Amino acid sequence: MTLAPESVARPAHPRQVITALMDEATVEAIANEAWTALVGEDELLVPVPGDLPADTVSAWVDVVGPWTGSVVLTTGRQTAADLTRALLGEAAPELLDHEDVADAIGEIANVVGGNVKAALPGPSTLGLPVVGEAPVVRNPEDVCRIDVLWRGQPLAVSVQGALPPLPTPSPVHDNPHPNGASL
Amino acid sequence: MRALVIDDSRAMRRIVSAALEGFGYETRHAGHGQEALDVLQEGYAPDLCTIDWNMPVMDGLQFVSAVRSNPAWRALTLMMVTSESEQGQIVRALAAGAHEYVIKPFTADALRDKLALLGMLPEEAHL
């Protein structure tokens, strides 16, 4: 089958950016639910932005489906260690190693990511948690981010698309000749 | 009663185990589905398996299917404990043979309620 050129150029379901699918209040509600269940009933995320320190760590899970991107948790390394202790409670070892911290913040990202995925149009698949330097933002329009404080320390949750912006369609001219001359 | 807690996250294994031990269970751990199958094949006979969905090597759904294909493990109660919360995923897990489905994040009370529905709370946990 051969498609007419205009059928190829214009997909039937244009790609939606995350801000068309989800708002910051939803991300905040999901993060708060994860916090109270995993970190502690009295643990609150305060919706006040703070400056992240220079030394941060991120954990994220990828979502692949009608919307494709990552759910990224970023905070300072010390805050990540504090989160790990809060998550593990009495089971926390006296000395935390890197794997303890990576595992704990990875699991928080996994739980937040799973619930973000459920709020998106599906079906979608959820990747395994990854810990390291956060994936780059490919399209600033395709980001829904909250900046909060936990125990006074800054923390960010970013739901960010994996794809670059679509090219802006060039304006349609009646006369395609750059010099305006008629044939 | 005995439980096998299957999750690739050490933190989550500790959290689920702490809740189950609080209800009176003895627990063992596995980091993925294949490791859990190995534990069962070695002869460990739990009453309950709690199973994460997304894990390396063998995921939770594959584990449930493998257990259900072996008549020797027919009596085993399988409970998904996962952040996969889409309705379609829940249906897939139950169709594959899971008895119950708990969505992360969960509280210990929510876990207790699900176990009570299944008749899987040790006697002391009813007190």
Side-chain angles (χ1 to χ4, degrees):
Chain A
M1 186 175 71
T2 305
L3 295 174
E6 57 270 26
S7 302
V8 175
R10 294 181 186 171
H13 302 289
R15 206 172 84 200
Q16 287 189 295
V17 294
I18 192 65
T19 46
L21 303 168
M22 177 172 291
D23 59 15
E24 292 172 356
T26 303
V27 177
E28 191 177 320
I30 288 170
N32 263 311
E33 190 184 356
W35 238 253
T36 50
L38 292 176
V39 184
E41 285 182 14
D42 301 327
E43 302 289 353
L44 297 173
L45 293 176
V46 181
V48 174
D51 291 330
L52 287 167
D55 190 20
T56 60
V57 60
S58 294
W60 67 93
V61 288
D62 292 332
V63 177
V64 177
W67 179 86
T68 292
S70 305
V71 181
V72 187
L73 168 70
T74 301
T75 192
R77 288 192 183 273
Q78 183 56 51
T79 308
D82 294 342
L83 259 176
T84 302
R85 290 200 178 283
L87 189 73
L88 295 177
E90 292 175 0
E94 196 167 319
L95 286 175
L96 291 177
D97 61 25
H98 172 73
E99 280 193 25
D100 289 320
V101 177
D103 178 81
I105 65 167
E107 185 59 19
I108 295 172
N110 179 47
V111 172
V112 173
N115 286 274
V116 165
K117 180 179 86 103
L120 292 171
S124 305
T125 58
L126 191 68
L128 294 172
V130 182
V131 177
E133 198 170 319
V136 294
V137 171
R138 304 288 304 277
N139 178 5
E141 302 293 317
D142 196 7
V143 176
C144 183
R145 171 179 166 136
I146 60 167
D147 288 274
V148 295
L149 298 177
W150 173 68
R151 295 185 181 175
Q153 297 303 311
L155 189 147
V157 178
S158 173
V159 185
Q160 59 191 58
L163 302 174
L166 290 171
T168 308
S170 48
V172 177
H173 298 290
D174 289 339
N175 189 330
H177 292 275
N179 62 2
S182 299
L183 290 174
Chain B
M1 295 177 85
R2 295 192 284 194
L4 180 58
V5 177
I6 311 164
D7 198 305
D8 58 327
S9 164
R10 285 189 289 177
M12 191 51 67
R13 291 198 296 268
R14 286 170 178 156
I15 290 169
V16 174
S17 294
L20 292 174
E21 287 164 10
F23 305 149
Y25 275 90
E26 294 173 17
T27 64
R28 276 187 69 172
H29 298 165
H32 52 73
Q34 185 56 56
E35 188 181 340
L37 285 180
D38 292 344
V39 170
L40 295 178
Q41 280 161 350
E42 285 166 11
Y44 182 67
D47 303 283
L48 169 74
C49 288
T50 68
I51 311 148
D52 186 20
W53 189 304
N54 292 306
M55 295 181 287
V57 186
M58 177 187 282
D59 70 25
L61 194 64
Q62 291 171 318
F63 173 78
V64 169
S65 299
V67 167
R68 285 294 167 247
S69 68
N70 186 336
W73 296 329
R74 192 175 295 155
L76 193 49
T77 297
L78 304 179
M79 176 185 279
M80 300 297 291
V81 180
T82 171
S83 57
E84 287 283 359
S85 51
E86 286 179 16
Q87 192 66 29
Q89 303 287 69
I90 297 172
V91 170
R92 283 179 70 197
L94 297 178
H99 291 88
E100 200 36 280
Y101 202 101
V102 177
I103 296 170
K104 298 175 186 174
F106 62 88
T107 62
D109 286 345
L111 192 59
R112 177 200 293 259
D113 290 346
K114 294 281 189 178
L115 290 169
L117 281 173
L118 292 169
M120 293 297 294
L121 270 185
E123 283 301 312
E124 59 264 41
H126 289 286
L127 298 176

